[in-house]
């Protein structure tokens, strides 16, 4: 995508002081289907103007939670408040919430302009107002010349822009997006991520975004919630959850991680602990305030040094290379430490002249205490 300002990329936006986002509160919301609980009691607050992502595997409850907010799924228990008002009894069409779906949900028999104007028509707006708002919405997503086309005549990215324009045409303070980029190829997904982020920042609405793609969520969201089994596993900024995951599941879901099971905590030093692993290694790591009795040390592959520089780290060991692979711009190793059942994954930048260490080679690896964190092991 060309490097351009928000206004150049997406046209003229509404006055964000007028279209401030809405504050959303889920208060002990749950959903049962007979004896099956698909959403356990959940409480969550999303601030006005926030871009909030719900992520997790299929069946984790994220789409159910979104459906409860939209009004498509009646909760079995609990309240859903928008700006302090419980909306559980309010029908979906009166909630003034914009929706963007994975399949875009565009009417094939309508033109682009008619699709965008449809929500305004349903709200009883006059033809003149509809025409003016549709014109602005088309400019906002850079589709001014395509208003008379049918959805089938557009590319996937253009259809996605139409769906965005339709969701925003009546200036809702809350936009819900359910896997909106799932049907696009990788390059187009990345381009549309840029557009959605600029769109939200300029438009000013609160966005709640459902995806199973953790990289997409990390790029877009101010905060995100990892869901599992119908429950919230952990909430925080993308960086907080990546650097300080609370559980094995969160650590693994948000990226590659190596885990060293802990046998005992030897000593505490403020936010740091010295631990002995089940393999007998003694090392230092960060310890968050919430630490269960069953623990492991979590290491991200880019935080582990390899070679001579590893000897300067807080934790330094001699390991054996099990696997060495070149990927684009990166050397990736699997290194086994003495007494451990598994190998650590190490990832270092590659540049011309660096040779891969062969399997079987002895190598120094190390990491600072601040680069490792104790987590709850499952």
């Amino acid at each position: 995508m060309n490097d351009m300002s928000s206004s150049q990329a997406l046209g003229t936006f509404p006055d964000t002081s007028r279209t401030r986002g809405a504050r959303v509160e889920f208060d002990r919301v749950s959903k049962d289907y007979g004896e099956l609980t698909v959403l356990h009691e959940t409480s969550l607050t999303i601030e006005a103007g926030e871009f909030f992502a719900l992520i997790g595997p299929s069946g984790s409850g994220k789409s159910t939670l979104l459906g409860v907010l939209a009004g498509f799924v009646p909760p079995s228990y609990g309240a859903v408040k928008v700006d302090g008002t419980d909306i559980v009894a309010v029908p979906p069409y009166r909630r003034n919430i914009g929706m963007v779906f994975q399949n875009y949900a565009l009417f094939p028999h309508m033109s682009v302009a008619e699709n965008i104007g449809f929500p305004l028509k349903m709200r009883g707006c006059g033809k003149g107002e509809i025409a003016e708002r549709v014109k602005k919405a088309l400019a906002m997503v850079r589709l001014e010349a395509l208003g008379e086309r049918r959805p089938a005549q557009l590319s996937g990215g253009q259809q996605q822009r139409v769906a965005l324009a339709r969701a925003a045409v009546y200036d809702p303070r809350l936009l819900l997006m359910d896997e909106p980029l799932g049907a696009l190829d990788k390059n187009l997904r990345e381009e549309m991520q840029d557009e959605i982020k600029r769109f939200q920042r300029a438009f000013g609405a609160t966005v709640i975004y459902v995806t199973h793609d953790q990289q997409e969520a990390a790029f877009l969201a101010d905060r995100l919630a990892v869901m599992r089994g119908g429950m919230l596993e952990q909430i925080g900024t993308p960086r907080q959850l990546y650097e300080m995951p609370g559980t094995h599941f969160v650590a693994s879901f948000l990226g590659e991680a190596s885990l060293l099971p802990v046998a005992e905590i030897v000593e505490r030093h403020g936010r740091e602990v010295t631990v002995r692993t089940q393999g007998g290694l003694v090392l230092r790591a960060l310890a968050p305030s919430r630490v269960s009795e069953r623990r492991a040390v979590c290491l991200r592959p880019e935080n582990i040094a390899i070679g001579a520089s590893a000897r300067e780290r807080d934790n330094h060991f001699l390991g054996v290379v099990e696997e060495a692979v070149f990927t684009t711009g990166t050397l990736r190793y699997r290194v086994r430490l003495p007494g451990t059942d598994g190998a650590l994954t190490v990832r270092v930048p590659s540049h011309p002249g660096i040779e891969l260490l062969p399997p079987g080679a002895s190598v120094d690896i190390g990491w600072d205490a601040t680069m490792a964190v104790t987590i709850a092991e499952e």
Side-chain angles (χ1 to χ4, degrees), residues 198-356:
R198 290 169 177 164
F199 175 93
Q200 189 267 344
R201 285 178 175 174
F203 190 70
T206 301
V207 171
I208 303 178
Y209 192 98
V210 164
T211 181
H212 65 275
D213 187 325
Q214 62 271 30
Q215 292 184 342
E216 183 173 289
F219 176 80
L220 290 169
D222 301 312
R223 283 193 307 150
L224 53 86
V226 181
M227 298 193 69
R228 180 190 188 195
M231 294 185 288
L232 294 175
E233 187 91 356
Q234 190 174 355
I235 302 170
T237 67
R239 185 171 182 178
Q240 286 170 342
L241 267 57
Y242 183 79
E243 295 181 354
M244 299 290 286
T247 65
H248 181 183
F249 176 79
V250 173
S252 300
F253 192 79
L254 289 178
E256 205 167 12
S258 297
L259 300 179
L260 294 171
V262 171
E264 64 173 328
I265 293 180
V266 177
E267 190 177 1
R268 293 184 180 272
H269 325 269
R271 293 184 66 236
E272 289 187 13
V273 291
T274 299
V275 303
R276 180 177 286 106
T277 71
Q278 292 179 8
L281 301 177
V282 177
L283 55 90
R284 291 163 54 194
L286 291 178
S289 57
R290 183 177 66 86
V291 181
S292 70
E293 288 302 313
R294 300 184 64 194
R295 305 176 184 88
V297 171
C298 173
L299 292 163
R300 297 295 186 187
E302 67 273 14
N303 292 334
I304 303 174
I306 191 167
S309 64
R311 300 168 193 161
E312 303 170 1
R313 308 297 181 180
D314 296 333
N315 304 294
H316 165 228
F317 305 98
L318 188 64
V320 177
V321 176
E322 283 195 343
E323 181 183 69
V325 178
F326 170 82
T327 60
T328 306
T330 303
L331 304 180
R332 184 179 181 276
Y333 294 100
R334 295 280 290 166
V335 179
R336 181 176 295 277
L337 297 181
T340 59
D341 293 331
L344 301 184
T345 300
V346 183
R347 192 167 58 237
V348 296
S350 173
H351 56 79
I354 290 185
E355 297 292 334
L356 274 173

Side-chain angles (χ1 to χ4, degrees), residues 61-130:
K62 55 189 187 296
S63 290
T64 300
L65 194 62
L66 201 74
V68 168
L69 177 56
F72 304 145
V73 179
S76 300
Y77 182 82
V80 180
K81 299 177 182 178
V82 176
D83 289 331
T85 300
D86 190 353
I87 62 169
V88 166
V90 178
Y93 65 89
R94 294 189 59 192
R95 295 191 181 192
N96 200 38
I97 295 174
M99 291 286 298
V100 181
F101 302 94
Q102 178 176 345
N103 63 359
Y104 317 131
L106 301 178
F107 298 111
H109 63 285
M110 292 184 182
S111 68
V112 166
E114 289 169 338
N115 266 282
I116 294 173
F118 184 77
L120 299 174
K121 184 178 180 181
M122 291 298 97
R123 285 165 172 77
C125 295
K127 290 184 178 180
E129 181 182 359
I130 292 175

